[in-house]
Structure formats: C-alpha cells, structure tokens
Amino acid sequence: MQAEEVLKIVQDVLDDKKGKFITTIDVRGKTSFTDYMVLVTGTSDRHLKALCDYVAEKLAESDVKPLGIEGDLGSDWVLLDLGDVIVHAMTAQSREFYQLEKLWSVDRSMEAGRAV
C-alpha cells in the first residue's frame, strides 16, 4: 500500500474516532525514516491508546501491520510507527510542551540559525 493510501486511512480513522486537531506534516526531504507524521490530540490516556489501536485494526484489514507502538495506558504520548506514516497521539499538555509542528516546520534553507 502506498504511503498516501495509508495516510488517508489514518486521517479518516482519527477523525471518525474523535481525535482533535489532526495535523499532517510532510517530512519527505527532511528525514529518511518516514514520509508523513500525523499528530492528533486525545482527551485522555485511554483515548490516545484507543486512537492508535483503531488505526492499527483498520490497516490490518489491508494487511498493513505496524512496525511498532510505544506508549500505553498512563502515557501522555502514544507513537504508532507505520513505516512511511508515523502517528503521534498526544494529550494537549504534551503536544503544547513538545511542539512537534514547530520542530518539523523548520525551513531546510536554514542552517545553524542562518540562511544557506
């Protein structure tokens, strides 16, 4: 399955299961380990885990298996590694603290604080 197809399923499931503030970051050309990062805010640790479980279950129907999952009940951040797509399910507090959108939106033309 192509990365864009996986991404579409991920986005649809997260939306259907009431994930909040779903953001997709295209990191092609910025990193070699994935193409897309999807950030979603959940309302509780159970919601975070459930969001990732639902995504994994839906993709299993198409024989796409996660490479790994990190975080569990009691975690404020659950990461679902699908290879070309990585899902970061976070509480609002963790998302605000880590600011992954800001981290990955750094312009590639900037190096050590100066334009190249």
Side-chain angles (χ1 to χ4, degrees):
M1 184 176 281
Q2 297 293 320
E4 289 75 17
E5 294 172 299
V6 172
L7 178 62
K8 176 73 170 118
I9 291 169
V10 167
Q11 293 167 329
D12 289 347
V13 170
L14 293 176
D15 186 50
D16 288 347
K17 298 302 180 182
K18 309 297 185 211
K20 299 178 184 274
F21 310 111
I22 301 165
T23 304
T24 301
I25 304 171
D26 183 342
V27 293
R28 292 175 293 179
K30 293 182 180 182
T31 184
S32 61
F33 63 84
T34 194
D35 290 341
Y36 300 99
M37 290 190 189
V38 179
L39 286 74
V40 61
T41 300
T43 56
S44 68
D45 61 336
R46 288 185 186 272
H47 190 212
L48 300 177
K49 179 75 169 107
L51 288 169
C52 290
D53 287 347
Y54 286 129
V55 168
E57 288 171 18
K58 184 64 174 177
L59 287 168
E61 295 172 9
S62 300
D63 291 324
V64 176
K65 306 246 187 286
L67 298 176
I69 187 165
E70 296 292 330
D72 211 338
L73 293 179
S75 298
D76 57 355
W77 184 348
V78 178
L79 182 142
L80 178 62
D81 185 350
L82 300 164
D84 292 333
V85 179
I86 295 177
V87 179
H88 296 274
M90 308 170 83
T91 61
Q93 296 83 2
S94 289
R95 193 160 173 184
E96 184 177 329
F97 181 79
Y98 290 104
Q99 298 185 16
L100 294 182
E101 292 98 334
K102 187 175 180 180
L103 175 71
W104 284 102
S105 67
V106 173
D107 187 353
R108 287 181 288 160
S109 66
M110 297 298 290
E111 183 178 297
R114 58 186 161 80
V116 286

